[in-house]
Amino acid sequence: MKRLLVLVAAVGAAVAVSARAGELCVACEEPSATYRCSIEQPSEKYQLKGELAGEVCSKVLAKKGAHQKCHIAEVPEGATCEGAERVVTITDYQRAVSDSGESTYEVGALEIARRNVHDTWLCVTSIFKDC
């Protein structure tokens, strides 16, 4: 049992660290908010980075947060983005740009398991405040 808990904690830590590495700082207007956005990558082979990642985060957060406009905010070197953590997916992006709110992307079992481990890790590390 202890081994399982150690394994889950190690996997969760790896997921949390990898998510922070690709975070973008997104500032939104009307209503005003700041987010630390990371994208759940579709696969190891295809990675969304740079301007494309910024576009995905901006559109999804604007739609989900009912903001008028969102954009990537510059963070001075050595500083951190002071915003709520948000993880967006390709499905979120498809829904944000679709008129009907539908998506054609289907999440695989491995992706669902990884997401659940990540969510559990965030819950535990926040001392059950972010569950």
Side-chain angles (χ1 to χ4, degrees):
M1 183 67 166
K2 270 188 172 179
R3 286 183 186 176
L4 179 61
L5 288 174
V6 170
L7 178 63
V8 169
V11 170
V15 169
V17 168
S18 67
R20 284 192 188 101
E23 281 185 346
L24 298 168
C25 192
V26 179
C28 298
E29 302 167 5
E30 298 178 31
S32 180
T34 303
Y35 301 101
R36 292 183 344 259
C37 179
S38 59
I39 298 176
E40 191 171 283
Q41 299 295 336
S43 71
E44 290 295 320
K45 187 175 181 179
Y46 301 105
Q47 299 283 312
L48 301 176
K49 297 180 181 176
E51 288 183 33
L52 182 58
E55 179 73 18
V56 169
C57 279
S58 297
K59 284 205 182 288
V60 170
L61 294 174
K63 180 88 171 197
K64 282 187 165 186
H67 298 288
Q68 193 71 12
K69 178 180 168 183
C70 293
H71 62 278
I72 300 301
E74 294 295 322
V75 178
E77 192 170 324
T80 59
C81 180
E82 299 296 326
E85 181 181 354
R86 296 291 186 261
V87 178
V88 299
T89 65
I90 299 300
T91 303
D92 295 332
Y93 180 73
Q94 287 180 326
R95 288 183 179 138
V97 298
S98 169
D99 293 333
S100 65
E102 292 182 20
S103 170
T104 57
Y105 177 75
E106 293 197 21
V107 179
L110 185 59
E111 188 175 339
I112 291 170
R114 190 196 65 75
R115 189 179 305 160
N116 289 340
V117 169
H118 178 71
D119 291 347
T120 301
W121 180 253
L122 289 177
C123 177
V124 170
T125 58
S126 69
I127 308 174
F128 304 100
K129 293 178 185 172
D130 192 20
C131 298

